[in-house]
Amino acid sequence: MLFLVILPLLPRTSECRTTADGELKRLMVRETVGNHFSEVIVDALNRYYVQNHSSTLLMRLSTVSRRTYELQSDIMDEVMQRTSHSIAYEFRPTTTHRYASRRPRIFNLAFIDGYDAFDQLFRSLEPASNDLSGYYLIVLTTLDTARPETLAHMFSLLWTLNVINVNIVTADLQDYSHWQAVLMYTYYPYTPDGCERSVPHLVHRFRKGLRRLDQRIELFPSKLSNFHRCQITVCTFHLPPYVLLTQHRDHHVQYGGFEGDLLRALSVKLNFTLRLIEPEAGELWGRTPATSNETETDASGCVRLVLTERVNLTLGRFAIRGDRNLVMKCSRSYYTVRMIFAVPAGREYTPFEKLFRPFSRSTWMLVTAYLLIALCVICTIRCSGRPYLRDFVFGRGISTPILNLLNVLFGGALQQLPARNFARTLLFLWMYYCLVVRTSYQGSLFEYLQEHKNFGPLQTVDAMVDENYRFYSLYESSLYLEQMPKILSRITWLEDEDAAVERHLSRLSILQEPATALFTDIERVAYYNRFHAREGLVYVANVVLVRLPIGMYYPKKSCLANQFDRELDGLLTSGYVSYRLGRYVDYDAFKRPPAYHHAPTPLTIDHLVGCFETLICLLSVAAGLLLVELLSRRIVSLRALLTILPTV
């Protein structure tokens, strides 16, 4: 950015003029200090332009004569002398090369001497260098009386540029007193008399007799705080839970959803009506021109309608992105969307797996540890070679301690009890422990055998890839998956409509697509679970792939953004956005397991399939041991190995 510092040494017109210059003499700067024309300008600058962090862009153009140019220099000289301590000026020449600004200028001061100069100056404004929603103070130094038609043409051009915070300051040439009155004009685009009007409106007539200018006069009033029931055109589409559109027979479109409710709240607060337009050919957000060589004709969907200024704004989970910000103006973000994978419930537990559900993993580990410790103690004592120690711990005449251990564990009877007190005490403690464990297991097993329970859904992308999941997504969401080649290689693109997402969520809920994942936002899944919970729940992976701040988008020259942002701030602070969203989504379904109401019912064959499978396995083991016993008659080494078992 190149800043040109202007010293207040501009040429000043002479106070001695011939009478032939009568037209100019009435408008001449008669005193260097205290000129009424300059006082009005300085007052406006001090009240609205004094900002330490932003400079004021100074523009001037004279096309009528040298006299008006010198007059502009006089006024600029005096204005800058009075405000140089509080305002930093940046001068933009009109004929030399223009340097791009780091950011659009909000505060602008322009000097013109007629409509031609105005037309040349303001048609050259660009949104990249000038914030068209900022403040514009135009000083008109015409030699003739400013006609209403000229002012109307100026305001008409300003309205096409969406410049509304503007005032035109000129002198009252019909005032022949020593100090001429200064007139300030503006226009109101939305009034009770009509919409999008550019009729000149006199803000105030400033007379010289007062010591101070009236500070109660609002020079830059809010012109968009009341639209007086004028119409705002909005491009949107059906996208639950953000926007819900219902078409009636009379072609009336009823809208809802949390962004639809937000739009309705804005229409009530700002007093405007809505006209909804859906993008052509069933498109949604649409394509954004990728390069500077592309134009709005290369765009599609809602983006194209905004670029061609056929609508005032668009919304519907519009992610605020850099490529869109280059061609459109975004609002303040009012919500952050989390993009995730919607996945089906895990597979159902098999009957055999249900036999292990009465105890948690930690309980099973402790039960197994106690059993292994008991086996280790028995093996250690048997290998010690001390008969008195075996008799003391196992009991006299007990030759199969391991078999007795397992027999008590499963509730069997012992043929021979130990005779000594210590051995009997150990047996009693083991019987008491097994009684508690076995009773707890049997009591819970009855319920778990009848329960329809599934494993938890997959929670990571790597786990889905390892399980050969197939992925689905809307094509317009492909931008967010470009950094995931493992997913792109096995993805299927859905039609760009919410009906395709709805159908796939339905298949996920009833497990018709057991090994698939849908790339969507968590709010869409929460909306489905709220209104389709009876059909089955859809789960989400806990990994958030992308976080998208969403907002509204306006044409680049729109004047609505600032006023809408102020209202959005109030709604966000009051909690209105989260409150309205809570009416459409249910996040609790992701946290709690599905409700299961157990009622005692007789066990069926299906419930006992796992028990039968266990029985078949044990019978197979027994049959295998029988075959080994038969083979041991012919194999001496095998018979020697099996002689150990009766002593266990």
Side-chain angles (χ1 to χ4, degrees):
M1 169 59 66
L2 177 64
F3 287 94
L4 181 60
V5 179
I6 303 177
L7 297 178
L9 298 176
L10 297 174
R12 184 175 299 110
T13 57
S14 175
E15 296 185 22
C16 300
R17 294 285 186 180
T18 61
T19 57
D21 299 334
E23 297 87 351
L24 182 61
K25 190 175 181 179
R26 290 199 298 270
L27 198 65
M28 188 183 304
V29 181
R30 297 178 173 84
E31 295 181 7
T32 302
V33 180
N35 176 265
H36 187 38
F37 208 141
S38 301
E39 285 182 353
V40 174
I41 300 173
V42 170
D43 178 70
L45 295 178
N46 287 331
R47 290 176 59 184
Y48 297 94
Y49 279 52
V50 177
Q51 299 288 338
N52 294 329
H53 63 278
S54 183
S55 61
T56 295
L57 182 62
L58 185 62
M59 302 173 288
R60 67 177 297 183
L61 183 61
S62 175
T63 61
V64 176
S65 66
R66 181 68 182 178
R67 297 174 181 176
T68 54
Y69 179 84
E70 293 175 351
L71 179 60
Q72 290 177 359
S73 300
D74 281 334
I75 301 176
M76 290 172 57
D77 187 8
E78 184 168 352
V79 169
M80 295 180 67
Q81 283 186 18
R82 295 189 178 190
T83 59
S84 59
H85 64 284
S86 58
I87 298 178
Y89 291 95
E90 176 188 353
F91 182 71
R92 193 191 80 175
T94 58
T95 57
T96 60
H97 176 70
R98 298 178 186 175
Y99 293 88
S101 300
R102 288 179 297 179
R103 60 179 179 177
R105 292 306 176 197
I106 300 176
F107 304 102
N108 302 271
L109 176 61
F111 289 85
I112 58 173
D113 61 355
Y115 183 80
D116 292 338
F118 169 83
D119 186 75
Q120 295 181 37
L121 193 62
F122 277 82
R123 287 191 185 276
S124 65
L125 298 184
E126 298 178 356
S129 303
N130 301 87
D131 187 348
L132 301 180
S133 61
Y135 291 89
Y136 287 81
L137 184 62
I138 303 174
V139 181
L140 180 59
T141 58
T142 179
L143 298 179
D144 300 324
T145 303
R147 298 180 180 180
E149 297 82 3
T150 303
L151 295 175
H153 290 157
M154 290 182 178
F155 287 133
S156 178
L157 176 59
L158 291 169
W159 173 241
T160 60
L161 298 175
N162 281 275
V163 177
I164 61 172
N165 291 322
V166 59
N167 287 320
I168 297 179
V169 181
T170 184
D172 184 6
L173 298 184
Q174 303 302 323
D175 186 356
Y176 293 95
S177 60
H178 180 68
W179 292 105
Q180 293 170 331
V182 176
L183 305 179
M184 181 177 289
Y185 292 93
T186 189
Y187 77 103
Y188 291 85
Y190 300 101
T191 64
D193 298 329
C195 304
E196 300 186 1
R197 294 162 55 91
S198 56
V199 179
H201 175 79
L202 180 62
V203 177
H204 191 67
R205 179 188 297 272
F206 298 91
R207 300 185 182 278
K208 177 59 182 175
L210 302 177
R211 293 184 179 179
R212 293 185 57 187
L213 299 178
D214 193 349
Q215 300 295 314
R216 295 173 300 178
I217 302 173
E218 188 68 29
L219 303 184
F220 289 94
S222 177
K223 300 177 181 179
L224 299 179
S225 59
N226 189 345
F227 284 78
H228 300 282
R229 306 301 297 169
C230 292
Q231 189 178 84
I232 299 296
T233 305
V234 178
C235 178
T236 188
F237 44 85
H238 183 76
L239 188 69
Y242 305 96
V243 180
L244 304 177
L245 300 181
T246 305
Q247 188 81 30
H248 294 280
R249 294 181 179 179
D250 57 353
H251 302 290
H252 173 68
V253 179
Q254 184 178 359
Y255 63 96
F258 108 83
E259 283 190 276
D261 294 344
L262 187 64
L263 189 61
R264 181 180 291 106
L266 290 175
S267 68
V268 173
K269 293 177 70 67
L270 299 178
N271 192 26
F272 60 80
T273 59
L274 285 172
R275 175 174 171 250
L276 300 181
I277 294 180
E278 296 187 60
E280 302 172 354
E283 297 173 329
L284 302 182
W285 303 277
R287 178 179 179 274
T288 304
T291 62
S292 58
N293 297 329
E294 296 182 347
T295 61
E296 62 269 8
T297 57
D298 299 309
S300 62
C302 289
V303 174
R304 182 175 184 177
L305 295 179
V306 173
L307 294 182
T308 55
E309 299 186 3
R310 293 173 54 187
V311 297
N312 297 108
L313 62 95
T314 183
L315 78 167
R317 209 198 76 187
F318 255 92
I320 299 177
R321 303 191 323 228
D323 58 334
R324 290 173 176 168
N325 294 345
L326 292 176
V327 295
M328 298 184 293
K329 181 186 291 187
C330 66
S331 72
R332 189 180 309 278
S333 174
Y334 44 78
Y335 191 72
T336 300
V337 173
R338 294 164 290 173
M339 301 297 292
I340 46 81
F341 276 119
V343 295
R347 65 174 180 84
E348 190 174 357
Y349 282 91
T350 64
F352 181 76
E353 290 170 336
K354 290 182 179 180
L355 297 179
F356 297 90
R357 284 193 47 75
F359 288 163
S360 64
R361 180 178 300 179
S362 59
T363 304
W364 280 117
M365 293 176 62
L366 291 175
V367 171
T368 304
Y370 288 151
L371 183 61
L372 291 176
I373 291 173
L375 293 175
C376 291
V377 171
I378 293 174
C379 293
T380 302
I381 294 176
R382 287 183 62 86
C383 296
S384 65
R386 301 176 182 179
Y388 68 91
L389 182 61
R390 291 198 301 268
D391 295 341
F392 181 74
V393 178
F394 301 154
R396 189 182 304 275
I398 303 299
S399 59
T400 57
I402 294 181
L403 185 61
N404 291 344
L405 179 75
L406 298 177
N407 200 15
V408 174
L409 178 64
F410 290 103
L414 297 181
Q415 295 180 357
Q416 184 180 358
L417 297 176
R420 303 195 59 163
N421 292 333
F422 182 74
R424 288 188 175 186
T425 302
L426 290 179
L427 176 62
F428 171 75
L429 294 177
W430 179 252
M431 292 178 62
Y432 179 75
Y433 164 76
C434 294
L435 175 66
V436 174
V437 172
R438 189 171 60 252
T439 304
S440 302
Y441 176 81
Q442 292 174 348
S444 300
L445 183 63
F446 179 80
E447 178 178 350
Y448 282 104
L449 288 176
Q450 303 177 73
E451 183 184 21
H452 296 284
K453 186 69 175 179
N454 295 74
F455 281 93
L458 299 183
Q459 297 297 318
T460 63
V461 176
D462 292 337
M464 298 177 198
V465 173
D466 294 340
E467 293 293 332
N468 294 321
Y469 265 50
R470 290 175 291 118
F471 300 96
Y472 293 84
S473 173
L474 295 178
Y475 183 75
E476 294 201 12
S477 300
S478 60
L479 176 65
Y480 312 117
L481 298 174
E482 291 180 352
Q483 304 301 323
M484 302 179 185
K486 294 182 180 180
I487 296 176
L488 288 178
S489 61
R490 59 180 69 184
I491 199 167
T492 301
W493 302 112
L494 302 176
E495 299 178 7
D496 284 333
E497 59 178 2
D498 183 72
V501 177
E502 181 79 14
R503 288 192 298 268
H504 198 83
L505 289 175
S506 178
R507 290 195 294 267
L508 288 177
S509 65
I510 58 180
L511 299 180
Q512 287 186 354
E513 300 284 350
T516 62
L518 174 65
F519 182 67
T520 183
D521 53 283
I522 193 173
E523 287 73 22
R524 182 64 181 90
V525 182
Y527 174 82
Y528 181 88
N529 287 341
R530 181 180 181 89
F531 295 99
H532 302 85
R534 294 184 178 180
E535 302 175 9
L537 296 177
V538 179
Y539 298 88
V540 298
N542 287 335
V543 179
V544 178
L545 302 179
V546 185
R547 297 181 185 272
L548 303 176
I550 63 173
M552 303 177 185
Y553 268 102
Y554 314 87
K556 200 67 174 178
K557 298 179 181 180
S558 177
C559 59
L560 303 180
N562 290 345
Q563 184 65 41
F564 277 44
D565 282 351
R566 285 190 286 268
E567 300 298 337
L568 287 174
D569 285 341
L571 294 175
L572 286 171
T573 305
S574 65
Y576 181 83
V577 174
S578 57
Y579 168 73
R580 299 306 300 183
L581 180 61
R583 295 172 56 90
Y584 299 99
V585 298
D586 180 16
Y587 295 115
D588 294 335
F590 302 137
K591 303 176 183 178
R592 63 172 184 265
Y596 176 74
H597 304 285
H598 174 70
T601 57
L603 291 175
T604 63
I605 297 298
D606 294 336
H607 296 151
L608 300 176
V609 169
C611 301
F612 293 143
E613 292 176 351
T614 305
L615 177 60
I616 293 174
C617 291
L618 295 178
L619 291 176
S620 300
V621 173
L625 290 176
L626 177 61
L627 293 177
V628 173
E629 290 281 358
L630 295 177
L631 291 176
S632 66
R633 294 183 178 183
R634 299 183 181 182
I635 303 175
V636 178
S637 59
L638 182 61
R639 185 168 61 252
L641 178 63
L642 294 177
T643 55
I644 302 176
L645 294 177
T647 62
V648 177

